[in-house]
């Protein structure tokens, strides 16, 4: 639709009227002043229009072009604008129209980009009297509502003055009100209360429903009451907005003022030479650190290059932050900074005895290691590996070594590390790159010769990220770590002065090349007497102190401690023992708050009340033909292992194994069975027994996996006892058997001896080749044990059965 201008200067209708004075020409009315009773209707959803307004409208040409075309084609050019109760006027139906709207004359229509821009002049209120078209384009018959005359009513004047005063208060808060007020005064005066009320309502940002309520209120006084309420609400809203705006502006001005003052201060300080900018201050700080270090030639050259780069980079650039962080790391490392070792063997012995009870063989090995370092004048280039069950004190021994040498101590766990970058760092090209664990350890330790403890080295993993165990070779190998290269630093750093102490529960999972570079020190489990002394001297006092109780607030006598160890903490270490003591101390703390008198003595009979039923019970002494006790080694320490053999039926020959046995242990059972079948007559067994017997061999605790060759002679003894139908004496044994009856050596001798003592077995059979390991076992562990050494299975025949059944010609060796 092209732009149309609709002229309202139509001719005036003239008529002749006859008066008493004769004929004269009288002006009656303009044709356009007569409002039509049938109007096209335009729905609006935003807000209603009030008379005496000139309002621009923008609407969709697709929906409302027919309606406006009808208006343009009419003589009067008048349109009815009515508020609808929907969000979009395009969705309105006849039922959505409010009852009262405003008749408007259309002055200009402009079509652009699918939109109609229309300027309308609002003339007068009307009420819908009946529909002519209930679908778009809408049209209806209307009844016009005349505007009431204000008259001389003083109350209306008072309201009018109140409305004018409120508008005056609004004017300073929003400049737009000034322009609208000027336009109103150009057309009307302040003494026209009806127009004033409509104008005031149109100024507000009230809801469409509130404005429609004003439009529908014809009596002047109620309408002005509603308008005044809306104006007061608008005034409060404007004041709140002004307050918020003023607060924000004040803060912005304050920050801007501080920023300008700070920049001026920097400029003044720079001119006076008493301060530097951020970049210069950073560079000076790094250079001051570097001056205190003994950098290598390569490191000094790299630092100078990075400093030159830092001087030309903008402080806001990402490269500036990367370079600054790199220089921070380099300057914080202890290049050439070493602590002085305290090479005093007596002091080292005193510290080890202070921190640990027992472990005499371990202490002796550590003191020998320190003595060699004292003769050399330095302790470097060595890796100590402490291997033993959990809770025997491996980590605390590493800390004691650091105390004995007077070195810094740093510990981190490598268990579960699967990324090589954790060891050797990330390259600087990656976001969030950091050096590896060892460079971080050197930074935190502050010296180039700390004691670094690598915990759980047997649990290090491998994945697609790389092999951390292989990366450790460069770190730990004394021949390589003098020039350790971290990927982040990309500089050679000397780790040869570091004393590395590693801990592990077992050796099997440590890679061979790594294990080859370590000096292995075995820590076996504690026997009951050692645990008793450790609980009395270390664990119980420590738990009392942690609970905040007075020294000696809890008393446990020797008998009670023995019962606690045997029933609740029979494992190889002392960690479970400490937890049980902590549980007792906590319960005593409650009793002390409930008016119990200190010290509280806990007796043996009270343990079950404090700790519940015992976790460990005396091992059931299985006996009878075919039952033999073996000795086993586990990562948790030594353990006894009962082996049962039974003849299930004589229908056919067979051999069955149960008890979740590993492949090696199954092979040992097959070897033992084959050896006995082939030598049955020599051992006093009827050969027909094996021909007519289905034998079932079971190792109790079927839920626990078991493997290893050390049960070979135990299985053979159980099968021999079953075949001869004679019970075996109370004796425990360990050793690997071959098809020719040879007894081969096994490992874990100390742990197995401790397990036998724990089970109350005093007589033990070991392989003859293990005599050397037995001689290295501390005297207090061997005390009270009768140990026989066997080189062939024939040597056991004199030991297995009661004296009346012993065979001649057996060899016997006893070590006490």
């Amino acid at each position: 639709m092209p732009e149309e201008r609709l002229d309202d200067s139509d001719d005036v209708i003239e008529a002749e009227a006859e008066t008493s004075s004769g004929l004269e020409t009288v002006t009656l009315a303009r044709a356009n002043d007569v409002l039509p009773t049938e109007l096209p209707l335009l729905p609006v959803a935003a807000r209603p229009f009030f008379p005496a307004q000139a309002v621009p409208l923008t609407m969709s040409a697709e929906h409302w072009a027919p309606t406006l075309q009808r208006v343009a084609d009419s003589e009067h050019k008048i349109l009815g604008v009515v508020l609808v109760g929907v969000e979009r006027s395009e969705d309105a139906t006849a039922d959505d129209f409010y009852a009262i709207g405003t008749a408007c004359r259309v002055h200009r229509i402009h079509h652009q980009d699918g939109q109609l821009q229309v300027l309308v002049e609002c003339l007068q209120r009307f009420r819908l009297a009946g529909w002519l078209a209930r679908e778009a384009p809408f049209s209806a018959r209307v009844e016009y509502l005349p505007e009431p005359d204000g008259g001389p009513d003083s109350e209306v004047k008072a309201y009018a003055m109140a409305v004018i005063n409120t508008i005056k208060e609004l004017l300073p808060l929003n400049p737009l009100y000034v322009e609208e007020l000027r336009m109103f005064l150009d057309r009307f005066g302040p003494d026209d209360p009806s127009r004033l009320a409509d104008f005031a309502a149109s100024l507000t940002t009230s809801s469409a429903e509130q404005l429609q309520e004003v439009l529908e209120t014809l009596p002047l006084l109620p309408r002005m009451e509603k308008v005044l309420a809306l104006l007061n609400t608008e005034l409060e809203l404007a004041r709140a907005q002004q307050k918020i705006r003023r607060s924000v502006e004040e803060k912005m001005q304050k920050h801007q003022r501080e920023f300008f003052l700070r920049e001026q201060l920097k400029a003044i300080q720079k001119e006076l030479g008493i301060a530097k900018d951020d970049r210069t201050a950073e560079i000076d700080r790094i250079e001051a650190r570097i001056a205190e270090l003994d950098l290598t030639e390569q490191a000094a050259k790299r630092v100078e290059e990075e400093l030159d780069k830092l001087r030309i980079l903008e402080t806001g650039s990402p490269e500036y932050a990367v370079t600054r962080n790199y220089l921070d790391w380099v300057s914080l490392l202890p290049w050439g900074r070493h602590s002085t070792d305290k090479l005093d063997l007596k002091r080292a012995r005193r510290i080890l005895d202070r921190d640990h009870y027992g472990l005499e063989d371990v202490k002796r090995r550590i003191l020998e290691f320190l003595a060699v370092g004292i003769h050399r004048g330095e302790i470097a280039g060595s890796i100590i590996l402490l291997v033993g069950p959990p809770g025997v004190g491996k980590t605390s021994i590493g800390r004691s070594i650091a105390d004995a040498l007077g070195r810094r101590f740093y510990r981190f766990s490598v268990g579960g590390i699967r990324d090589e970058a954790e060891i050797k760092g990330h390259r600087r090209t990656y976001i969030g790159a950091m050096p590896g664990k060892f460079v971080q350890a050197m930074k935190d330790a502050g010296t180039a010769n700390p004691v670094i403890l690598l915990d759980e080295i047997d649990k290090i993993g491998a994945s697609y990220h790389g092999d951390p165990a292989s990366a450790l070779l460069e770190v730990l190998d004394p021949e390589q770590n003098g020039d350790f290269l971290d990927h982040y630093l990309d500089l050679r750093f000397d780790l040869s002065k570091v004393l590395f102490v590693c801990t592990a529960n077992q050796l099997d999972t440590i890679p061979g090349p790594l294990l080859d570079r370590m000096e292995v020190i075995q820590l076996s489990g504690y026997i009951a007497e050692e645990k008793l002394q450790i609980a009395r001297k270390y664990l119980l006092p420590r738990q009392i102190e942690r609970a905040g109780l007075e020294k000696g607030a809890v008393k446990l006598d020797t008998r009670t401690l023995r019962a606690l160890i045997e029933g609740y903490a029979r494992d190889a270490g002392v960690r479970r023992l400490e937890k049980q003591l902590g549980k007792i101390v906590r319960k005593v703390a409650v009793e002390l708050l409930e008016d119990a008198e200190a010290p509280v003595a806990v007796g043996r009979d009270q343990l079950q009340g404090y700790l519940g039923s015992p976790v460990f019970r005396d091992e059931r002494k299985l006996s009878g033909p075919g039952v033999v006790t073996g000795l086993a080694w586990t990562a948790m320490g030594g353990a006894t292992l009962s082996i049962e053999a039974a003849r299930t039926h004589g229908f056919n020959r067979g051999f069955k194994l149960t008890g979740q046995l590993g492949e090696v242990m199954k092979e040992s059972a097959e070897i033992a069975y084959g050896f006995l079948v082939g030598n049955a007559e020599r051992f006093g067994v009827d050969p027909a027994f094996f021909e007519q017997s289905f034998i079932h061999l079971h190792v109790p605790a079927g839920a626990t996996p078991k493997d290893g060759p050390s049960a070979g002679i135990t299985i053979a003894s159980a099968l021999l006892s079953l075949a001869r139908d004679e019970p075996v004496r109370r004796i425990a044994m360990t050793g690997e058997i071959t098809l020719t009856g040879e007894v081969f050596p096994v490992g874990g001798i100390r742990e197995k001896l401790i397990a036998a003592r724990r089970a109350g077995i005093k007589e033990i059979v070991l392989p003859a080749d293990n005599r050397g390991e037995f001689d290295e076992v501390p005297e207090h562990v061997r005390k009270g044990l009768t140990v026989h050494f066997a080189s062939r299975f024939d040597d056991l025949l004199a030991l297995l059965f009661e004296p009346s059944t012993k065979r001649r010609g057996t060899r016997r060796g006893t070590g006490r």
Side-chain angles (χ1 to χ4, degrees):
M1 181 183 294
E3 182 173 346
E4 299 183 16
R5 293 190 176 273
L6 309 178
D7 195 0
D8 56 355
S9 58
D10 296 330
D11 294 335
V12 177
I13 298 175
E14 295 184 352
E16 292 184 351
E18 184 177 346
T19 62
S20 57
S21 59
L23 295 176
E24 64 176 344
T25 302
V26 180
T27 302
L28 298 177
R30 291 184 301 179
N32 287 346
D33 287 342
V34 179
L35 299 178
T37 58
E38 295 181 359
L39 292 177
L41 297 183
L42 181 68
V44 291
R47 54 190 289 152
F49 295 171
F50 289 92
Q53 282 185 297
V55 182
L57 275 175
T58 301
M59 63 193 72
S60 170
E62 179 183 355
H63 289 86
W64 307 116
T67 301
L68 292 175
Q69 187 62 50
R70 291 181 57 187
V71 175
D73 294 341
S74 66
E75 295 182 0
H76 49 73
K77 309 297 188 289
I78 292 179
L79 175 71
V81 180
V82 186
L83 182 71
V84 290
V86 292
E87 292 185 2
R88 297 173 67 251
S89 58
E90 290 82 357
D91 300 333
T93 63
D95 296 332
D96 297 322
F97 282 72
Y98 281 87
I100 293 180
T102 306
C104 303
R105 175 172 284 122
V106 178
H107 283 275
R108 185 173 65 248
I109 303 173
H110 181 63
H111 185 224
Q112 183 178 3
D113 298 331
Q115 298 287 320
L116 292 174
Q117 298 175 358
V118 184
L119 179 63
V120 298
E121 176 190 4
C122 303
L123 302 175
Q124 190 170 347
R125 288 175 172 83
F126 66 78
R127 179 183 287 111
L128 294 177
W131 286 96
L132 298 176
R134 298 181 64 87
E135 302 290 338
F138 299 100
S139 62
R141 290 189 302 275
V142 299
E143 296 177 356
Y144 292 96
L145 307 174
E147 297 294 333
D149 186 10
D153 190 336
S154 59
E155 192 170 358
V156 171
K157 289 184 178 180
Y159 271 102
M161 291 301 297
V163 168
I164 291 172
N165 289 333
T166 307
I167 294 175
K168 287 181 180 179
E169 292 185 53
L170 277 170
L171 292 180
L173 302 178
N174 192 337
L176 293 177
Y177 296 146
V178 179
E179 184 64 23
E180 297 214 14
L181 181 62
R182 186 184 64 79
M183 293 175 61
F184 173 76
L185 293 177
D186 286 345
R187 301 182 62 191
F188 305 101
D191 55 350
D192 187 347
S194 177
R195 301 297 185 192
L196 178 63
D198 291 345
F199 166 72
S202 67
L203 284 181
T204 67
T205 58
S206 303
S207 66
E209 290 76 11
Q210 291 174 317
L211 295 177
Q212 180 67 24
E213 188 178 351
V214 173
L215 183 67
E216 293 179 356
T217 304
L218 296 179
L220 197 53
L221 194 59
R223 194 197 314 171
M224 299 194 76
E225 289 178 354
K226 293 178 180 179
V227 168
L228 189 58
L230 296 180
L231 277 175
N232 285 326
T233 302
E234 189 75 14
L235 181 61
E236 293 300 321
L237 180 62
R239 285 173 177 169
Q241 292 175 342
Q242 185 73 9
K243 184 178 179 181
I244 294 171
R245 187 183 305 114
R246 189 181 300 115
S247 174
V248 171
E249 289 175 354
E250 287 177 357
K251 289 181 180 178
M252 292 180 61
Q253 291 173 359
K254 181 180 179 183
H255 288 314
Q256 290 175 349
R257 182 170 177 272
E258 290 177 355
F259 172 76
F260 287 126
L261 289 175
R262 197 175 291 112
E263 291 300 315
Q264 290 175 354
L265 180 61
K266 286 181 182 179
I268 294 170
Q269 289 176 336
K270 190 173 181 180
E271 289 293 328
L272 296 175
I274 60 176
K276 303 167 185 176
D277 59 17
D278 293 342
R279 181 183 10 230
T280 306
E282 287 276 2
I283 293 173
D284 289 350
R285 179 169 57 84
I286 293 170
E287 288 179 337
R289 287 186 196 154
I290 296 296
E292 299 177 0
L293 303 175
D294 184 15
L295 293 178
T296 63
E297 183 179 350
Q298 179 198 18
K301 182 179 179 181
R302 176 66 59 80
V303 166
E304 190 58 39
E305 291 174 355
E306 296 294 329
L307 284 172
D308 291 342
K309 185 193 299 183
L310 198 67
R311 291 185 180 97
I312 63 175
L313 287 171
E314 291 295 329
T315 55
S317 70
E319 185 68 19
Y320 178 87
V322 171
T323 305
R324 183 192 60 193
N325 290 341
Y326 175 79
L327 288 170
D328 269 342
W329 274 105
V330 174
S331 61
L332 287 171
L333 289 177
W335 299 87
R337 185 183 297 163
H338 301 83
S339 61
T340 303
D341 288 340
K342 297 178 180 178
L343 302 176
D344 185 348
L345 202 61
K346 292 182 178 179
R347 177 177 180 274
R349 189 189 304 274
R350 187 167 60 251
I351 290 175
L352 290 173
D353 289 338
R354 178 197 68 191
D355 295 341
H356 300 87
Y357 180 84
L359 303 178
E360 295 302 328
D361 52 340
V362 177
K363 293 178 184 176
R364 184 175 64 252
R365 290 284 302 276
I366 292 173
L367 290 174
E368 290 170 0
F369 171 78
L370 297 179
V372 172
I374 291 172
H375 282 291
R376 291 175 53 193
E378 65 172 358
I379 297 175
S382 298
I383 313 165
I384 299 175
L385 175 60
L386 303 173
V387 182
V392 295
K394 300 184 295 296
T395 303
S396 58
I397 285 177
R399 194 181 301 276
S400 297
I401 293 173
D403 290 344
L405 292 175
R407 291 191 180 189
R408 300 285 183 87
F409 178 76
Y410 186 89
R411 171 195 171 273
F412 68 89
S413 176
V414 296
I417 288 181
R418 295 180 175 272
D419 191 351
E420 180 186 342
E422 294 283 337
I423 305 296
K424 301 191 68 175
H426 306 80
R427 299 196 181 277
R428 276 200 289 163
T429 53
Y430 297 110
I431 295 174
M434 289 186 66
K437 292 283 188 182
F438 289 92
V439 171
Q440 296 178 37
M442 302 304 289
K443 169 182 169 288
D444 291 345
T447 62
N449 62 337
V451 174
I452 297 181
L453 179 74
L454 307 181
D455 229 347
E456 311 290 352
I457 200 168
D458 57 325
K459 298 177 180 62
I460 194 167
S463 71
Y464 63 92
H465 291 294
D467 185 3
S470 299
L472 279 177
L473 291 177
E474 183 184 353
V475 179
L476 300 181
D477 190 348
E479 302 299 325
Q480 301 182 49
N481 62 12
D483 290 323
F484 171 67
L485 181 65
D486 183 89
H487 290 156
Y488 179 84
L489 294 182
D490 200 21
L491 293 172
R492 301 287 178 178
F493 192 87
D494 186 7
L495 295 179
S496 61
K497 306 299 182 184
V498 178
L499 176 58
F500 293 102
V501 179
C502 306
T503 70
N505 296 131
Q506 55 190 5
L507 299 175
D508 301 348
T509 56
I510 302 176
L514 190 60
L515 184 61
D516 185 56
R517 289 164 169 80
M518 299 179 178
E519 191 166 335
V520 180
I521 298 178
Q522 293 278 354
L523 282 81
S524 302
Y526 297 102
I527 62 175
E529 288 299 323
E530 290 175 327
K531 285 187 175 182
L532 180 66
Q533 298 300 326
I534 291 171
R536 179 180 291 136
K537 294 182 178 180
Y538 300 96
L539 305 183
L540 183 58
R542 185 161 62 200
Q543 290 299 321
I544 292 174
E545 182 182 356
R546 287 179 180 176
L549 303 180
E550 294 182 2
K551 188 176 180 180
V554 184
K555 298 290 186 182
L556 280 80
D557 57 21
T558 302
R559 186 165 167 265
T560 304
L561 285 174
R562 286 187 190 278
L564 174 62
I565 293 167
E566 290 297 326
Y568 299 89
R570 201 181 290 179
D571 49 335
V574 294
R575 189 170 290 139
R576 187 192 296 267
L577 176 59
E578 185 170 14
K579 289 181 180 179
Q580 300 298 336
L581 289 171
K583 189 180 294 186
I584 292 174
V585 170
R586 289 195 299 272
K587 292 182 182 297
V588 169
V590 174
E591 294 177 6
L592 291 174
L593 292 177
E594 294 176 348
D595 300 331
E597 294 185 3
V600 175
V602 179
R604 178 177 180 179
D605 298 336
Q606 298 172 284
L607 282 179
Q608 191 161 346
Y610 282 92
L611 303 177
S613 299
V615 179
F616 299 94
R617 301 182 183 276
D618 292 338
E619 295 183 11
R620 299 179 64 178
K621 297 178 177 61
L622 302 178
S623 60
V627 179
V628 182
T629 301
L631 297 175
W633 177 91
T634 68
M636 300 295 290
T640 56
L641 200 68
S642 295
I643 294 178
E644 302 172 312
R647 180 176 183 269
T648 56
H649 60 79
F651 303 126
N652 62 331
R653 175 181 177 179
F655 186 50
K656 180 180 180 182
L657 300 171
T658 56
Q660 200 173 162
L661 310 182
E663 291 298 324
V664 177
M665 197 167 182
K666 289 179 180 178
E667 290 178 357
S668 294
E670 295 286 351
I671 291 169
Y673 179 76
F675 170 71
L676 283 180
V677 170
N679 298 274
E681 192 172 356
R682 185 158 63 91
F683 294 136
V685 177
D686 184 1
F689 173 80
F690 290 106
E691 291 291 336
Q692 302 171 1
S693 300
F694 189 93
I695 298 174
H696 185 173
L697 188 131
H698 176 68
V699 184
T704 305
K706 312 165 192 71
D707 201 4
S710 62
I713 63 172
T714 312
I715 296 172
S717 299
L719 292 174
L720 180 59
S721 172
L722 174 67
R724 293 178 53 161
D725 195 23
E726 296 180 22
V728 174
R729 297 170 53 239
R730 184 160 174 74
I731 189 172
M733 61 189 70
T734 182
E736 181 179 355
I737 193 171
T738 69
L739 282 173
T740 58
E742 296 290 332
V743 178
F744 276 22
V746 293
I749 297 300
R750 172 172 172 163
E751 288 83 358
K752 292 175 179 179
L753 294 177
I754 292 174
R757 289 182 65 96
R758 190 183 302 127
I761 300 174
K762 302 297 185 181
E763 195 168 356
I764 299 169
V765 177
L766 299 178
D769 291 337
N770 284 120
R771 186 185 291 272
E773 287 87 343
F774 173 77
D775 292 339
E776 292 179 359
V777 175
E779 180 64 29
H780 68 275
V781 176
R782 294 184 291 170
K783 185 178 180 181
L785 295 178
T786 300
V787 179
H788 309 277
F789 295 96
S791 58
R792 292 185 55 83
F793 185 75
D794 299 59
D795 299 342
L796 273 72
L797 297 181
L799 307 172
L800 293 178
F801 306 108
E802 292 300 327
S804 60
T805 63
K806 287 182 181 177
R807 298 171 59 89
R808 295 181 180 179
T810 58
R811 291 176 292 173
R812 176 178 175 181
T814 304
R816 298 180 183 277

